[in-house]
Amino acid sequence: MNRSDCMENPHLLVYQEVKHENLLRRISIFKDLSRKSLQVIEKRIQTFELKKGDKIISEDEVARGVYFVHSGAVKLTKEDENGNEIIVCVKQKGDAFAEACLFTQKTERYPATATMLQDGRVIFLDKLELERDLADHPELAMQMISYMSDALREMTTQLRDVALLDVYAKTVKTLERLGNKFNTGQNRWNIEIPLTVQEFATVVGTTRESVSRVFSKLKKESIIDLKSRKIVILDWCGLCTLLHREY
């Protein structure tokens, strides 16, 4: 189900031009904006209530705007030459996605397919309107640049880990990174990551069998458990000390 389907589906609650400051303050890019700058965005946003499994955008679709996760979680995926799905990254509440389509001089398509991992709400801003607002409001532009810089730094770290670490280290580092994303309450136990083992393996950049071997070891140590298409971190402190213990 893509965005155009969302707008036509009467069973989806769609809000247009929502003017609630608290709604935008939950988005990383907007949370520190002045009230004046925030008012520029308030009049343009559209929000969509979506269910787990709903497709938001496809990588073969012409890019029309930028999305922000207000609640829930979103996976960004690409297909390899055999049609297999590869998870590029996971976006949690406060994150933006499809921002790479901004300020291009050609007809741009979305860089990945976005699908809901959990029920939640996403915010949409039209590409052309947002570009004009960024050009006219330096404070907003600086916040967007700062966010994209942080996202690029995180992606560079992930690529480094995939290229240089062994399977055990990559798996533990990915568990730690995703655990941080989904540990919104700063818990130490029972942190749920809504991915299957196969999906997790594509994030790590290795095979399901390789990840399963590492998971078996971590389960024996009571670090993690696997439940109903979820990976559960049982002992956060134990997970965080694993690499220091091994190397």
Side-chain angles (χ1 to χ4, degrees), residues 106-238:
K106 60 181 180 179
T107 300
E108 188 68 54
R109 298 187 181 276
Y110 286 119
T113 295
T115 307
M116 296 298 292
L117 271 174
Q118 298 171 322
D119 295 355
R121 176 186 291 179
V122 298
I123 294 173
F124 171 79
L125 282 172
D126 179 86
K127 174 182 184 293
L128 296 179
E129 290 180 342
L130 182 56
E131 287 176 348
R132 285 194 293 268
D133 291 338
L134 290 171
D136 293 340
H137 300 276
E139 181 191 20
L140 179 58
M142 288 301 297
Q143 288 293 101
M144 178 63 80
I145 292 170
S146 177
Y147 176 85
M148 294 176 74
S149 177
D150 289 342
L152 179 60
R153 189 177 297 110
E154 181 180 352
M155 183 64 70
T156 302
T157 299
Q158 289 179 232
L159 290 173
R160 180 203 63 193
D161 292 347
V162 169
L164 300 180
L165 298 181
D166 60 31
V167 173
Y168 180 89
K170 284 191 290 191
T171 299
V172 172
K173 291 277 284 186
T174 303
L175 278 172
E176 185 178 14
R177 177 168 51 81
L178 291 177
N180 273 317
K181 277 187 173 290
F182 289 96
N183 187 15
T184 54
Q186 300 303 307
N187 299 319
R188 295 186 179 183
W189 300 277
N190 297 320
I191 302 165
E192 294 185 350
I193 300 172
L195 295 175
T196 65
V197 177
Q198 178 61 56
E199 289 173 328
F200 184 89
T202 68
V203 178
V204 175
T206 188
T207 64
R208 185 186 190 282
E209 292 73 21
S210 296
V211 167
S212 293
R213 284 193 289 270
V214 179
F215 278 1
S216 293
K217 181 177 181 180
L218 298 180
K219 285 181 67 177
K220 288 178 181 178
E221 297 178 3
S222 298
I223 300 292
I224 68 164
D225 197 5
L226 304 176
K227 295 181 180 178
S228 183
R229 300 178 64 85
K230 292 180 181 178
I231 301 162
V232 183
I233 300 175
L234 300 176
D235 182 356
W236 177 252
C237 294

Side-chain angles (χ1 to χ4, degrees), residues 6-31:
C6 294
M7 296 180 71
E8 296 171 2
N9 191 330
H11 299 293
L12 294 176
L13 182 59
V14 179
Y15 303 88
Q16 297 198 27
E17 297 185 355
V18 177
K19 297 183 178 180
H20 298 294
E21 181 175 345
N22 289 340
L23 187 72
L24 291 174
R25 292 293 184 196
R26 296 189 67 179
I27 306 301
S28 299
I29 295 172
F30 306 133
K31 66 177 183 176

